Amino acid sequence: MLRTLLVATTALTLVAAPTAAQVASRSSDTPVAGQTATRGENQLRPGQTVAGELRRGDETLSSGEYNDRWSFPVRRGQTWEVSLTSTAFDPYLLVRGPGGLSEDNDDDPAARGSRDSRIRFTAPADGEVEIGATSYQPGETGAYRLTLAAVDRGAPEPRGSAVSGRALAVGQTVSGDLAAGDARLDSGEFIDTWTLRGRRGQQLDIRLTSAAFDPYVAISGPGGFSDFNDDDAEAGSRDSRLRVTLPADGEYTIGATSYAPGESGLYRLAVLADAGATAPRPPAEIAAGHPSSGGSLAVGETVTGSLAAGDETLGSGEYVDTWRFTGRRGQRVAVELTSSAFDAYTMLVTPSGEQFDNDDGEDGTDSRQQLVLPEDGEYEVRVTSYRPGETGSYRFSVSAGREPPRQAAVAGGARVFALMVGVSDYGGRANDLPYTDEDARKLAEELRRDGSLNEASVVLTNAEATVASVRDAFRRIASEAGPDDMFLFFFSGHGDQQPTEVSGVEPDGKAETIALFDGDIDDVELARLFDTLDTRLSLLVIDACFSGGFARNVVDRPGVMGVFSSEEDLTSAVADKFQAGGYLSHFVRAGMTGQADGDGDRLVTAGELATYLRRQFRVEVEDVQAETQDGQRNYQNLVIDRGGVQVDDVIVRLPPATAAARGD
């Protein structure tokens, strides 16, 4: 089967279907006939908090709960967060919308011990979303507050940029130009991004004006903060004006873009101090009215403290001291809290607002977290107790962490032994393919440039890639690679399926093959070749039609991980937009040379590589069509089988980052 030439279209973020428990808790969200909602279907606006009340006479669900309905328009790909709080009843949220959107939530899992409800969702289609503000138990009544917040504009990080990350300050006005070559949102709009250092409580008036296009401005920052504006309602113009109060100290990103895709032209962006902005609400998990305690410490420092009456408290009643330290992306730290007076609990919050909680350490009552810091900046650790009202003295430290033994044992240097095969010119045996020979060459070049590739590695392309030469190279490399090394077999080219006996290994009665210059190697033979290896870890990467069928044969022994460009009965496409023979080839090369290093520790693990590849396929390959040998149509789907390879097993150790790469 020939590899098909296709280009991916805009990706679609899918929303998970409700769980069985959610369905059971709300067997129907259809109002009982004859009832009238107190709120009807009132419109919500981004950034708005509204007050409401559940009471007798409201619309009721078939299960007996009163329900107020609110609605707002969405565009495909936009991400939203809806929160429902009440001290009178146990809040419950219902979200229904276009494209099959259906989400329910009882208790916010991020708000420890809270009954309040929160749902974050991504719109799968344009249309109107309906929010049901209701209760967990039938017949509950009382006042509530409902908040709608935009998490983003519905697009991933822009790819490339003419103006990206330039700094500006409060009180400054800058000029820019949206133009071809700028970064684009997935929905097609050009975008320039600017950065701003902000302080908690700072009130800003952000204005974007242009005579050339319809301006649209957005801001995002620490803690998932996000807001945007299309038209300045106060001025009655299509210029964009956004008045916000910053929720935390840190770096904020301001996006200057247009309302419609493809618009371009000159603009002016002003960031002004605004004394009239609405004051921020306190964080949901911290109760107002208590003095703060804690302070700053350095990595390697130990401090003592005490939880006591009068300290700041969490919303669930626990006293809390807040300590801060500065860290760098990729830095390993151990955060430890010990106390003989209470059951220790720590909550580490990253500069961007992600939270990591820990209750028990090794002895069951102390708290210890070991992690790799995901970003540069100031980290906050909330030192608290497991139960409300506990008090007493404690010792708290942030120290340099140690690598897990499995990672520490991975040697640096040229420890990747690779056989990289790419065939574009089939000499008339099959139709030629663009870029597939370059896939193998580029991978070798990148690994060699990083110092990871052992000199015994082999690259075979086109007429060099015969069945005999692949077998011989495999045997030679297998004899040199040892138990401390990583072996990589990479192939980019044609794949096929051939009839074979139906078995547990081949339930469809078809064997998969990779097409070399003069013949084929099937999945059974490739499994035998992998049996000759004695390596720490072996990685099989096949970017070819029907490649997923190799998983059953090869990834059935310890230490072997397989990555395949498509399922076993579907074709794979040429990644013409990346000038690559296949999407997998392009992303494996980027991932193994650093893009997959999610935590910045200069180690690309099996889990990191798998996560990176899945994310890239969701964005770039989701709408790429594929088909079976008999013409059934579907979409190209990545196949990853880690077998016995664990998440933190190291694929490759990267060279130390240079000062320029770190931004020093």
Side-chain angles (χ1 to χ4, degrees), residues 8 20 104 337 398 497 606 609 638:
D104 293 18
L337 174 66
V398 179
Q497 287 185 307
L609 182 62
L638 178 70

Side-chain angles (χ1 to χ4, degrees), residues 289-580:
H290 296 289
S292 62
S293 54
S296 298
L297 74 164
V299 175
E301 188 177 354
T302 299
V303 295
T304 59
S306 178
L307 295 183
D311 280 355
E312 183 177 59
T313 60
L314 300 177
S316 44
E318 297 85 0
Y319 297 118
V320 61
D321 287 352
T322 301
W323 296 89
R324 296 176 176 84
F325 69 92
T326 299
R328 301 192 65 165
R329 181 175 184 267
Q331 186 176 8
R332 293 180 180 274
V333 298
V335 176
E336 187 167 17
L337 174 66
T338 62
S339 176
S340 59
F342 57 86
D343 189 350
Y345 196 108
T346 56
M347 295 178 286
L348 183 144
V349 182
T350 70
S352 61
E354 186 178 7
Q355 182 168 310
F356 300 89
D357 289 20
N358 179 269
D359 174 19
D360 296 327
E362 296 178 358
D363 67 353
T365 59
D366 294 333
S367 173
R368 181 178 176 83
Q369 296 192 59
Q370 292 197 70
L371 70 161
V372 179
L373 301 183
E375 56 190 304
D376 295 347
E378 186 176 70
Y379 288 76
E380 181 177 279
V381 182
R382 296 167 186 171
V383 168
T384 184
S385 61
Y386 181 74
R387 296 179 182 82
E390 290 186 298
T391 59
S393 59
Y394 62 81
R395 288 174 60 86
F396 173 66
S397 64
V398 179
S399 57
R402 298 185 302 274
E403 287 188 356
R406 298 161 63 82
Q407 295 183 349
V410 177
R415 311 306 300 184
V416 177
F417 288 74
L419 172 54
M420 294 156 286
V421 182
V423 186
S424 286
D425 179 1
Y426 277 88
R429 192 175 87 86
N431 72 299
D432 294 343
L433 291 169
Y435 309 122
T436 45
D437 52 355
E438 288 299 309
D439 289 341
R441 294 191 190 104
K442 288 178 180 178
L443 178 60
E445 289 169 3
E446 293 287 342
L447 292 175
R448 190 173 291 115
R449 184 179 298 117
D450 277 354
S452 303
L453 193 64
N454 190 277
E455 62 182 12
S457 300
V458 175
V459 179
L460 298 173
T461 61
N462 301 322
E464 301 170 335
T466 64
V467 172
S469 63
V470 169
R471 289 170 178 163
D472 180 64
F474 209 109
R475 281 192 291 268
R476 285 190 286 110
I477 295 172
S479 67
E480 296 208 29
D484 294 329
D485 301 320
M486 201 279 284
F487 173 77
L488 167 66
F489 180 79
F490 170 87
F491 175 80
S492 181
H494 278 305
D496 202 356
Q497 287 185 307
Q498 301 294 337
T500 189
E501 183 178 336
V502 175
S503 66
V505 177
E506 300 290 0
D508 59 354
K510 295 179 180 179
E512 285 69 44
T513 65
I514 54 174
L516 301 172
F517 184 78
D518 63 345
D520 298 338
I521 289 181
D522 65 16
D523 44 16
V524 174
E525 180 176 1
L526 193 60
R528 287 198 295 266
L529 291 171
F530 266 77
D531 274 337
T532 66
L533 296 168
D534 180 23
T535 53
R536 174 181 60 83
L537 186 148
S538 298
L539 178 63
L540 171 61
V541 178
I542 300 181
D543 197 344
C545 296
F546 318 117
S547 54
F550 281 84
R552 289 196 190 94
N553 299 81
V554 182
V555 191
D556 65 348
R557 63 215 71 213
V560 178
M561 174 177 173
V563 183
F564 311 100
S565 60
S566 59
E567 295 167 286
E568 66 178 312
D569 60 345
L570 289 170
T571 55
S572 294
V574 171
D576 187 62
K577 66 184 294 184
F578 295 117
Q579 294 188 329

Side-chain angles (χ1 to χ4, degrees), residues 8-355:
T9 57
T10 302
L12 169 66
T13 303
L14 298 180
V15 179
T19 64
Q22 289 170 331
V23 173
S25 65
R26 290 292 187 275
S27 58
S28 171
D29 58 4
T30 304
V32 175
Q35 298 287 342
T36 303
T38 302
R39 296 282 166 188
E41 287 193 37
N42 289 344
Q43 288 285 312
L44 283 171
R45 296 193 305 274
Q48 183 182 26
T49 297
V50 295
E53 183 179 3
L54 295 183
R55 56 192 177 197
R56 294 183 183 277
D58 280 358
E59 173 186 80
T60 59
L61 304 178
S62 60
S63 43
E65 298 84 2
Y66 298 118
N67 181 59
D68 284 353
R69 284 193 285 178
W70 300 81
S71 63
F72 65 100
V74 297
R75 292 174 62 187
R76 172 186 172 183
Q78 288 179 329
T79 301
W80 301 89
E81 186 172 280
V82 185
S83 302
L84 179 65
T85 63
S86 176
T87 58
F89 60 87
D90 187 354
Y92 197 106
L93 274 172
L94 305 169
V95 174
R96 303 290 184 265
L101 174 62
S102 180
E103 294 277 353
D104 293 18
N105 178 265
D106 174 19
D107 296 329
D108 178 4
R112 181 170 164 246
S114 169
R115 300 193 310 171
D116 293 334
S117 178
R118 179 173 63 93
I119 291 178
R120 179 174 290 194
F121 68 93
T122 301
D126 295 351
E128 193 84 356
V129 167
E130 180 178 287
I131 305 296
T134 183
S135 62
Y136 182 77
Q137 298 288 348
E140 292 185 288
T141 59
Y144 65 82
R145 291 174 66 85
L146 180 68
T147 301
L148 173 66
V151 178
D152 61 31
R153 262 202 80 185
E157 290 296 317
R159 296 186 289 273
S161 180
V163 177
S164 180
R166 292 201 305 202
L168 75 166
V170 176
Q172 185 177 1
T173 298
V174 294
S175 298
D177 184 9
L178 292 185
D182 282 359
R184 280 181 181 263
L185 301 175
D186 266 7
S187 43
E189 299 86 356
F190 298 119
I191 184 171
D192 289 349
T193 57
W194 302 80
T195 60
L196 172 79
R197 292 295 301 181
R199 303 188 310 275
R200 177 189 174 108
Q202 195 170 16
Q203 298 171 325
L204 303 181
D205 184 350
I206 305 171
R207 304 184 186 190
L208 179 65
T209 61
S210 175
F213 60 85
D214 187 355
Y216 194 112
V217 70
I219 184 171
S220 61
F225 172 73
S226 178
D227 205 351
F228 57 81
N229 176 265
D230 174 20
D231 296 329
D232 183 356
E234 296 180 23
S237 77
R238 68 174 195 167
D239 288 334
S240 181
R241 183 182 183 188
L242 186 59
R243 302 175 71 181
V244 296
T245 301
L246 304 185
D249 295 347
E251 186 171 277
Y252 291 79
T253 299
I254 296 175
T257 183
S258 61
Y259 180 77
E263 292 186 302
S264 61
L266 300 174
Y267 65 83
R268 289 174 65 83
L269 174 65
V271 180
L272 310 173
D274 181 17
T278 304
R281 297 176 65 197
E285 70 274 22
I286 302 292
H290 296 289
S292 62
S293 54
S296 298
L297 74 164
V299 175
E301 188 177 354
T302 299
V303 295
T304 59
S306 178
L307 295 183
D311 280 355
E312 183 177 59
T313 60
L314 300 177
S316 44
E318 297 85 0
Y319 297 118
V320 61
D321 287 352
T322 301
W323 296 89
R324 296 176 176 84
F325 69 92
T326 299
R328 301 192 65 165
R329 181 175 184 267
Q331 186 176 8
R332 293 180 180 274
V333 298
V335 176
E336 187 167 17
L337 174 66
T338 62
S339 176
S340 59
F342 57 86
D343 189 350
Y345 196 108
T346 56
M347 295 178 286
L348 183 144
V349 182
T350 70
S352 61
E354 186 178 7
Q355 182 168 310

